Amino acid sequence: QVQLVESGGGLVQAGTSLRLSCAATGRTSMRYAMGWFRQAPGKEREFVAAISASGYTTSYANFVKARFTISRDNGENTVYLQMNSLKPEDTATYYCAAGRQVSVPKEEYEYNYWGQGTQVTVSS
């Protein structure tokens, strides 16, 4: 089992930055691909970014390219999502997920473990 805990969310103004963190505990000796998803009120959860177990490969949703960066520190069992130039439409609950994949999964069903989420609210 792997437990994931997100942090770093908050209320910010448009154009500013936030860095989300996701700390993994439990069976972290096994390397997992990690992903970030988000869900806005009244909308389905959507893929944001993913990083391979090695950290060498990343993938992003088109709507966050060049603004968000996913990274990981395997020594600290933590994955990050640096979010720059935030927009009001980025307002959502952001979820971290871990999957037993060798690459960068983009679908929810490819992930085995999920965190509880952290709220990001961007005001205009």
Side-chain angles (χ1 to χ4, degrees):
Q1 291 288 335
V2 174
Q3 294 77 42
L4 303 173
V5 178
E6 303 97 334
S7 62
L11 171 63
V12 297
Q13 291 188 330
T16 61
S17 300
L18 273 178
R19 188 177 80 157
L20 305 183
S21 300
C22 174
T25 59
R27 293 190 62 183
T28 56
S29 59
M30 179 183 294
R31 295 289 178 85
Y32 294 86
M34 300 295 293
W36 287 97
F37 289 74
R38 71 184 187 185
Q39 187 169 22
K43 296 186 177 181
E44 294 187 351
R45 189 155 56 183
E46 61 182 355
F47 170 76
V48 175
I51 188 167
S52 63
S54 66
Y56 292 139
T57 305
T58 58
S59 180
Y60 297 92
N62 287 335
F63 57 79
V64 300
K65 280 184 178 178
R67 295 192 300 126
F68 292 7
T69 302
I70 188 171
S71 61
R72 66 190 297 161
D73 183 337
N74 286 338
E76 296 293 328
N77 295 319
T78 302
V79 64
Y80 304 97
L81 185 68
Q82 177 67 43
M83 306 187 294
N84 299 328
S85 301
L86 283 162
K87 304 175 182 180
E89 50 264 44
D90 293 319
T91 295
T93 300
Y94 283 72
Y95 297 90
C96 172
R100 301 188 195 100
Q101 302 289 336
V102 296
S103 188
V104 283
K106 300 179 183 180
E107 302 294 335
E108 291 187 47
Y109 72 85
E110 296 179 284
Y111 288 88
N112 305 97
Y113 304 102
W114 292 83
Q116 294 299 308
T118 185
Q119 178 67 38
V120 172
T121 303
V122 184
S123 63
S124 58

